[in-house]
CSV table of all heavy atoms in Angstrom, one decimal:
chain,number,residue,atom,x,y,z
A,1379,GLU,N,-35.1,-4.7,-18.8
A,1379,GLU,CA,-35.3,-6.1,-18.3
A,1379,GLU,C,-34.8,-6.3,-16.9
A,1379,GLU,O,-35.3,-7.2,-16.2
A,1379,GLU,CB,-34.7,-7.1,-19.3
A,1379,GLU,CG,-35.3,-7.0,-20.7
A,1379,GLU,CD,-34.6,-8.0,-21.7
A,1379,GLU,OE1,-33.5,-8.5,-21.3
A,1379,GLU,OE2,-35.1,-8.2,-22.7
A,1397,ALA,N,-18.2,12.5,-17.6
A,1397,ALA,CA,-18.2,13.5,-16.5
A,1397,ALA,C,-16.7,13.7,-16.1
A,1397,ALA,O,-16.2,14.7,-15.8
A,1397,ALA,CB,-19.1,13.0,-15.4
A,1404,ASP,N,-15.3,19.5,-11.6
A,1404,ASP,CA,-14.3,19.4,-10.6
A,1404,ASP,C,-14.5,18.2,-9.7
A,1404,ASP,O,-13.6,17.8,-8.9
A,1404,ASP,CB,-14.4,20.7,-9.7
A,1404,ASP,CG,-14.1,21.9,-10.5
A,1404,ASP,OD1,-13.0,22.1,-10.9
A,1404,ASP,OD2,-15.0,22.7,-10.6
A,1433,LYS,N,-9.5,14.5,-9.8
A,1433,LYS,CA,-10.6,15.3,-9.3
A,1433,LYS,C,-11.3,14.5,-8.2
A,1433,LYS,O,-11.0,13.3,-8.0
A,1433,LYS,CB,-11.6,15.7,-10.4
A,1433,LYS,CG,-12.2,14.6,-11.2
A,1433,LYS,CD,-13.0,15.1,-12.4
A,1433,LYS,CE,-12.1,15.8,-13.4
A,1433,LYS,NZ,-12.9,16.2,-14.6
A,1499,PRO,N,-8.0,-3.5,21.4
A,1499,PRO,CA,-7.4,-2.3,21.7
A,1499,PRO,C,-6.1,-2.0,21.0
A,1499,PRO,O,-5.5,-3.0,20.5
A,1499,PRO,CB,-7.2,-2.3,23.2
A,1499,PRO,CG,-7.1,-3.7,23.6
A,1499,PRO,CD,-7.9,-4.5,22.6
A,1504,GLY,N,-1.5,3.2,8.8
A,1504,GLY,CA,-1.5,2.6,7.5
A,1504,GLY,C,-2.2,3.4,6.5
A,1504,GLY,O,-2.8,4.5,6.8
A,1527,ALA,N,-4.5,-6.2,1.5
A,1527,ALA,CA,-4.6,-5.0,2.4
A,1527,ALA,C,-3.3,-4.8,3.2
A,1527,ALA,O,-3.3,-4.1,4.2
A,1527,ALA,CB,-5.7,-5.3,3.4
A,1563,ILE,N,-8.2,-2.3,11.7
A,1563,ILE,CA,-9.5,-2.4,11.1
A,1563,ILE,C,-10.5,-1.5,11.9
A,1563,ILE,O,-10.6,-1.5,13.1
A,1563,ILE,CB,-10.0,-3.9,11.2
A,1563,ILE,CG1,-9.0,-4.8,10.4
A,1563,ILE,CG2,-11.4,-4.0,10.6
A,1563,ILE,CD1,-9.3,-6.2,10.5
Side-chain angles (χ1 to χ4, degrees):
E1379 297 177 344
D1404 300 295
K1433 56 186 68 176
I1563 300 173

